[in-house]
Amino acid sequence: MSIGYRKDIDGLRAVAIVPVVLYHAGLSVLGGGFIGVDVFFVISGYLITSILADEIGRGDVSILGFYERRARRIFPALFVMLLVSIVVSAAILLPFDLRAFSRSVIATVSFTSNILFHLESGYFAAPSELKPLLHTWSLAVEEQFYILFPILLVLLSRTGRRTRNAALVAIAALSFAVNLWGVRPHPSATFYLLPARAWELLLGSLLALNILPVPAGRGLREIAAALGLALIGTGMLTLSAADPFPGWNATLPCIGAALIIWAGIGGDSLGGRLLGLQPLVFVGRISYSLYLWHWPVIVFVKYTTNRALSPAEAGIAVAVSLVAATLSWRFIEQPFRGKNRFTRRGIFTASAMAAALLLSVGAVGYGTKGWPQRFPEALPIIAKYAEYPASFGMLRRDTCFLREDQPAADYDRNACYGGASPDVLIWGDSLAAHLYRGLSAQASRARLTIGQATQSLCAPVLNLPAYYIAGCKAFNDRILGLIRQDPPRTVILAGRWEVVGLDGIARLGDTIAALKSAGSEVIVVGQSPIFPAPAYALYIKALHNDSVAAPVAENDYGPLNRRVAEVAERNGAAFFAPERLFCSGGRCRIQRDGVLLFWDTSHLTEEGSDYVGEKFFDQYGAALISRARAKL
């Protein structure tokens, strides 16, 4: 079908991009502002399929012409953003981060950044909000889709309209089913990868192919447009980053966008006129450039301040993004869209040369490990933490410290539990796992047997009303079963208590009661300090700026730990407060005599674990030894 220019679709782009930008800047009360990306997917599927279907109907479709249009639309603004980001990154990013950024440049140019960021999404990965090119994942999803879709549409169109539409509906349904199936057990793959996202683009494609009758009646158009806006607004108001996504939750923005587009196919509506207001149309026109620029600007400001943005800083970042987007749209996007200025051959040649240059720069940044010579005073720290910190290995990943997606059956009882009826067992999440090295060293000196039962993102709290990690309940049930079978003399419970919240902390008493009924004494460890940026980054920046000031913790965990201590002591457990070893007045040590005690935002280094282990045994070592002797 042939379509003319629709102001309401540009307005819909504005409805999509503004919440995304404000959400990323931390200025929005819309917890679901991120769903604007899904609106873009539906719009993109509709517009591109409309053009292709029109060409196929006229018999002059050109796959090469399609890729030329994509190159004109996508590459110029993207490549300029990448070049500017490379310059800024070389000036401010630490070697670890510059190396990761360089790898993401390569992935962005090759339209595989969604795959890269999925692979980097583990619990110990660098914080997502500090990755300057994270937002390019959605571009990668679109381009992967459009590599295959034009060819598929041409082939299916030869089979007849009904067969074509039925095949596309089946593919969309399969993608939607993958999305529903994977959103909880495989949240990262479902969020980033094409198989679980294709249905969103295909929803727009099916609209373009007139799978639904055109809404000729004005009343139907009014209802569809109003309902579409209401669905998008509901998603933005009610969803948050804690909700499973995409899954069923993605139907709110996608169906909402589809209804608005469908209403506009039939004619005018009040919703369409509102979306066609000039300010919205203008923002919609610059929406692609605004999407490209806003995220790097926000990330670079966060990176230099080592904290979340203040409202004033966020406002300035948004304003800078708007200016950059307007200039990009006017002087980069618009000129390259005109065929009278740049020929097809010129576009392809320039794109290939720019891509080769960017790939080369990315390869150099990655190959040099982020150009560490820029920070000569920090080279020893950089050398130690060049790939993964040495501390990563002490967690005993995949055996005694399970990944969040590992089944409970993977827990190796023989290697990890500490034998039959161990003297001490550490139970919890990663903030329990990072204690094992220091505690086991002290236990070995005291001739105590010690075990480790830990899983990522799985606090040792029984009977929570809901688990945000599907396998956590099964893991905790397995550990409790082992404890009842072979009770340790002492169980140490540790976790990131802020994650389970006040309700979870209150239910910690259930865990303590179950352990005491099994015959174990209990010591609860309070939450360690959490930093706004990786500790090694804070330390290297301090060295580079000739400053040794202690960083500020992300929050004051004194009240939280006091609450944990109250629950522990009320239920007959002892309490150990690690934050007192590091923090005073909201400022926390990350190093001791030039040796890092933490390596990322929350986890101890080997030296930090040793330090905590010593202090823990100073306080509770005699009691642990006494209980062990009483067992004999």
Side-chain angles (χ1 to χ4, degrees):
M1 62 172 291
S2 177
I3 64 168
Y5 171 68
R6 285 180 54 178
K7 292 195 296 183
D8 63 318
I9 288 183
D10 267 337
L12 184 58
R13 284 191 175 112
V15 169
I17 189 62
V18 170
V20 168
V21 173
L22 296 181
Y23 173 81
H24 287 158
L27 289 175
S28 176
V29 296
L30 301 176
F34 56 87
I35 66 173
V37 173
D38 303 83
V39 174
F40 278 121
F41 282 157
V42 178
I43 294 172
S44 178
Y46 172 74
L47 293 177
I48 297 233
T49 305
S50 297
I51 295 170
L52 283 170
D54 181 54
E55 291 178 345
I56 292 171
R58 290 187 282 107
D60 64 353
V61 65
S62 167
I63 300 300
L64 193 62
F66 172 82
Y67 292 135
E68 177 194 350
R69 289 194 299 271
R70 294 304 293 169
R72 289 179 183 274
R73 167 69 170 158
I74 298 298
F75 288 160
L78 173 64
F79 287 169
V80 171
M81 182 276 292
L82 288 174
L83 285 170
V84 173
S85 296
I86 286 170
V87 172
V88 176
S89 295
I92 70 172
L93 295 190
L94 296 174
F96 318 93
D97 301 316
L98 183 60
R99 191 184 193 202
F101 169 81
S102 299
R103 182 169 53 198
S104 68
V105 168
I106 296 171
T108 298
V109 174
S110 61
F111 291 111
T112 57
S113 60
N114 62 325
I115 299 172
L116 173 66
F117 293 129
H118 159 58
L119 295 175
E120 289 183 347
S121 64
Y123 186 57
F124 293 96
S128 294
E129 65 270 19
L130 296 180
K131 296 179 179 180
L133 300 181
L134 181 69
H135 64 318
T136 64
W137 74 268
S138 63
L139 301 182
V141 167
E142 281 200 24
E143 294 316 302
Q144 290 162 14
F145 180 82
Y146 290 127
I147 287 172
L148 301 174
F149 181 71
I151 300 170
L152 177 66
L153 186 62
V154 170
L155 293 175
L156 289 175
S157 295
R158 295 173 182 171
T159 66
R161 180 176 181 274
R162 293 181 65 180
T163 302
R164 177 200 65 188
N165 289 356
L168 292 177
V169 167
I171 296 170
L174 178 61
S175 172
F176 185 68
V178 170
N179 151 63
L180 294 182
W181 168 78
V183 69
R184 286 191 180 273
H186 307 287
S188 173
T190 306
F191 185 89
Y192 283 115
L193 301 186
L194 177 62
R197 290 288 194 164
W199 68 273
E200 302 185 30
L201 291 139
L202 286 169
L203 185 59
S205 297
L206 292 170
L207 283 175
L209 297 172
N210 288 329
I211 194 170
L212 293 176
V214 174
R218 185 175 188 89
L220 182 58
R221 295 199 303 271
E222 295 288 359
I223 292 171
L227 180 58
L229 288 170
L231 287 174
I232 294 172
T234 299
M236 291 179 177
L237 284 168
T238 62
L239 294 177
S240 73
D243 292 308
F245 201 86
W248 283 107
N249 289 323
T251 60
L252 291 171
C254 292
I255 294 177
L259 284 170
I260 292 168
I261 293 170
W262 181 63
I265 294 174
D268 196 12
S269 69
L270 176 59
R273 290 198 302 274
L274 290 173
L275 291 172
L277 293 174
Q278 193 56 40
L280 288 177
V281 170
F282 174 75
V283 174
R285 286 177 175 171
I286 68 169
S287 60
Y288 173 59
S289 282
L290 182 55
Y291 184 76
L292 287 180
W293 285 101
H294 84 282
W295 182 253
V297 169
I298 291 169
V299 168
F300 289 138
V301 176
K302 282 184 178 179
Y303 195 89
T304 54
T305 59
N306 297 319
R307 54 173 170 76
L309 304 185
S310 69
E313 291 167 339
I316 293 171
V318 171
V320 170
S321 301
L322 282 168
V323 171
T326 303
L327 294 174
S328 173
W329 171 75
R330 175 64 182 84
F331 296 107
I332 301 173
E333 284 192 62
Q334 292 298 306
F336 277 94
R337 291 189 185 183
K339 293 187 177 182
N340 58 332
R341 264 187 163 177
F342 301 98
T343 65
R344 175 181 293 177
R345 183 173 182 177
I347 284 291
F348 285 149
T349 301
S351 297
M353 293 175 63
L357 173 63
L358 291 166
L359 289 170
S360 299
V361 172
V364 170
Y366 186 77
T368 60
K369 298 185 177 181
W371 195 7
Q373 294 77 11
R374 294 171 299 140
F375 297 87
E377 65 284 335
L379 283 175
I381 294 292
I382 293 170
K384 182 173 182 180
Y385 290 84
E387 297 293 339
Y388 288 101
S391 306
F392 189 82
M394 79 180 184
L395 301 178
R396 303 204 286 176
R397 188 79 159 165
D398 301 334
T399 54
C400 306
F401 175 57
L402 302 189
R403 301 186 310 273
E404 55 266 32
D405 59 349
Q406 274 186 276
D410 281 3
Y411 178 72
D412 190 336
R413 185 205 188 285
N414 294 331
C416 305
Y417 191 68
S421 189
D423 297 318
V424 180
L425 177 70
I426 303 169
W427 182 11
D429 58 19
S430 62
L431 295 191
H434 74 175
L435 299 174
Y436 176 78
R437 173 191 161 98
L439 293 177
S440 64
Q442 296 296 320
S444 177
R445 294 188 184 97
R447 298 187 179 181
L448 300 176
T449 57
I450 185 168
Q452 176 186 349
T454 52
Q455 183 177 37
S456 181
L457 296 172
C458 187
V461 179
L462 303 174
N463 304 320
L464 279 175
Y467 281 81
Y468 53 94
I469 296 297
C472 185
K473 183 179 188 306
F475 178 79
N476 281 342
D477 288 346
R478 172 165 166 73
I479 300 308
L480 182 60
L482 292 175
I483 289 171
R484 285 172 172 163
Q485 178 182 342
D486 291 308
R489 297 303 298 162
T490 303
V491 177
I492 298 172
L493 302 176
R496 187 162 180 169
W497 303 116
E498 63 175 336
V499 173
V500 299
L502 294 178
D503 182 61
I505 292 170
R507 292 171 183 262
L508 179 60
D510 296 339
T511 308
I512 297 170
L515 294 174
K516 293 183 80 66
S517 68
S520 298
E521 293 299 318
V522 182
I523 302 174
V524 177
V525 178
Q527 182 166 303
S528 304
I530 310 294
F531 300 102
Y536 65 79
L538 295 172
Y539 185 50
I540 291 172
K541 289 178 182 180
L543 290 176
H544 192 61
N545 297 318
D546 296 322
S547 168
V548 292
V552 176
E554 194 168 53
N555 291 297
D556 180 3
Y557 293 105
L560 175 75
N561 280 332
R562 284 193 291 273
R563 175 62 178 154
V564 175
E566 288 171 5
V567 172
E569 291 164 359
R570 186 170 63 245
N571 288 276
F575 180 77
F576 178 76
E579 88 279 0
R580 295 177 184 172
L581 305 178
F582 305 103
C583 304
S584 177
R587 304 195 70 86
C588 305
R589 286 190 296 163
I590 57 173
Q591 58 87 27
R592 186 184 183 205
D593 299 327
V595 175
L596 280 178
L597 299 173
F598 294 85
W599 58 272
D600 66 353
T601 58
S602 57
H603 297 96
L604 296 167
T605 60
E606 293 176 340
E607 294 84 0
S609 184
D610 290 341
Y611 175 62
V612 174
E614 291 173 9
K615 297 301 182 182
F616 183 93
F617 263 73
D618 286 346
Q619 185 170 345
Y620 290 112
L624 296 178
I625 294 170
S626 176
R627 289 173 198 153
R629 288 176 178 169
K631 178 180 68 174
L632 299 176

